[in-house]
Amino acid sequence: MVERKFFIDTDTATDDAVALVMALRNSDIDVLGISTVAGNCTIEQATQNALYTQNLVGSTVPVHVGAAGPLMRDLQSAHHVHGQDGMGDIGLELHGREPASYRGVQALIDAIMDNPGEIELVTLGPLTNLALALRLEPGIIDSVKRVVSMGGTAVLPGNVTALAEFNFWADPEAAFIVVNSGLQFEMAGWDISTAHAVIHDGLAAELRSLGTLGAFAMDIQAVLREFCRNETMLDGFDLPDALAMAIAIEPTIVTREAHHFVDVISGDGPARGQTIVDERGNSGREPNCRVIYEVDRERFLQLLRASLTDSP
Ligand code: RIB
Ligand code: CA
């Protein structure tokens, strides 16, 4: 089978790590590079978390350091969700690894421009790097094969405010630039994560029993589990980035979708980071987004189990 070429942009915390394992362990996918971005945690921590995860699965994919913060505001991280180290505070050795470069934005551009029509870009964090890449090289709009973004929400509520999901809220100006750039993208929002990607305690125990990677993927969710128990009131924890990666890997797991123009509210008002899904075409703007409304949960779980099952 012809190998597919991925590039992954990530603010590596606990659900990003599971998504990275899914891509890095898939034999049909050649991950050309990983760029890190500040979001869940600082750029330094996100980079170390990405390097730890890459090392855990024996990957040598280059990890390139990207933006250390949003375009026009200070970073507001999510340590209360994923832990101080972004990986559940379970004592992992998340330091001392060397990235391939400190040119994450250029690495994203180079991967796309050097492989015209081939790169499937998966974004798992704030869109700071992608916005900067679009300003540096608008040619990526036509050169990239597809863009799958974990971000936004097609159905309210959001997770960081009633109106907004974290990735689009953390850097709303970057999200605004991306969605208004002419780039076509696929939105795997917060709504489908809470609907189809919640891992309840019994399932978590089953996934943990798959082996080393299963134990890693479940144990790092310790802080997230408590946050979901007390804040988002989920019966378990959800894995939005892993679901977005599953959609990137296997687009046919999507069971309901529509193409609409999607905009994002920038600035500091109560609607900061809100996703505006123009379902009735009121804006008169051409659709820019494959809005994903429903996913086959069992097929998602199949992909997740396969990625966490230790090699024979
Ligand atoms: O809102 C969920 C998103 O924000 C996920 O990507 C999670 O990792 C955080 O970055
Ligand atoms: Ca993320």
Side-chain angles (χ1 to χ4, degrees):
M1 179 176 180
V2 174
E3 271 193 331
R4 297 161 63 186
K5 294 179 178 178
F6 275 38
F7 192 97
I8 303 169
D9 189 64
T10 170
D11 63 335
T12 314
T14 61
D15 60 322
D16 304 68
V18 179
L20 289 177
V21 169
M22 293 173 75
L24 294 173
R25 298 199 73 223
N26 188 304
S27 57
D28 297 331
I29 291 169
D30 180 10
V31 180
L32 295 193
I34 296 169
S35 55
T36 55
V37 63
N40 281 318
C41 38
T42 63
I43 188 64
E44 294 81 7
Q45 192 66 64
T47 301
Q48 289 301 321
N49 295 348
L51 287 164
Y52 178 93
T53 305
Q54 172 219 47
N55 181 264
L56 185 69
V57 296
S59 162
T60 57
V61 169
V63 175
H64 305 275
V65 180
L71 297 182
M72 296 176 62
R73 56 185 70 240
D74 293 336
L75 174 65
Q76 291 174 270
S77 58
H79 288 299
H80 61 296
V81 179
H82 298 280
Q84 285 309 308
D85 66 10
M87 297 281 268
D89 296 337
I90 60 172
L92 298 178
E93 188 198 334
L94 302 166
H95 50 79
R97 292 178 176 84
E98 276 302 310
S101 85
Y102 290 84
R103 301 280 183 272
V105 174
Q106 193 58 52
L108 188 159
I109 292 169
D110 292 347
I112 293 171
M113 300 308 288
D114 295 348
N115 300 276
E118 294 187 77
I119 297 295
E120 299 178 64
L121 173 64
V122 186
T123 72
L124 304 173
L127 294 175
T128 316
N129 287 339
L130 182 51
L132 291 168
L134 285 163
R135 287 290 193 255
L136 279 171
E137 179 49 83
I140 62 177
I141 292 172
D142 295 326
S143 187
V144 72
K145 181 175 183 181
R146 64 192 279 241
V147 180
V148 181
S149 283
M150 193 284 128
T153 186
V155 178
L156 292 177
N159 56 359
V160 71
T161 72
L163 298 177
E165 173 280 327
F166 176 79
N167 285 337
F168 283 13
W169 175 87
D171 194 346
E173 289 74 31
F176 178 86
I177 287 169
V178 170
V179 301
N180 285 286
S181 68
L183 187 74
Q184 292 293 315
F185 72 109
E186 302 172 43
M187 184 169 82
W190 169 250
D191 48 323
I192 61 170
S193 177
T194 52
H196 305 294
V198 175
I199 309 296
H200 53 71
D201 292 343
L203 177 56
E206 180 222 318
L207 294 172
R208 191 180 193 286
S209 70
L210 292 174
T212 310
L213 287 174
F216 164 74
M218 294 301 108
D219 289 351
I220 60 177
Q221 313 299 337
V223 174
L224 177 63
R225 179 67 185 89
E226 289 312 304
F227 179 79
C228 292
R229 189 192 313 275
N230 304 321
E231 300 294 330
T232 46
M233 316 312 278
L234 296 177
D235 178 24
F237 55 83
D238 66 316
L239 296 174
D241 290 343
L243 184 59
M245 186 58 75
I247 292 165
I249 292 169
E250 186 45 80
T252 63
I253 69 171
V254 172
T255 53
R256 186 163 70 90
E257 64 182 83
H259 278 81
H260 295 305
F261 174 67
V262 168
D263 205 348
V264 175
I265 304 297
S266 57
D268 293 308
R272 167 185 165 182
Q274 181 175 4
T275 325
I276 308 295
V277 180
D278 185 13
E279 295 185 345
R280 297 177 56 190
N282 302 100
S283 69
R285 302 281 298 272
E286 285 300 310
N288 59 353
C289 182
R290 176 196 190 199
V291 181
I292 298 163
Y293 287 100
E294 288 176 6
V295 172
D296 182 325
R297 172 179 167 86
E298 283 315 308
R299 292 187 66 192
F300 160 61
L301 293 178
Q302 281 171 3
L303 285 166
L304 181 61
R305 283 191 182 92
S307 70
L308 298 180
T309 301
D310 285 354
S311 305

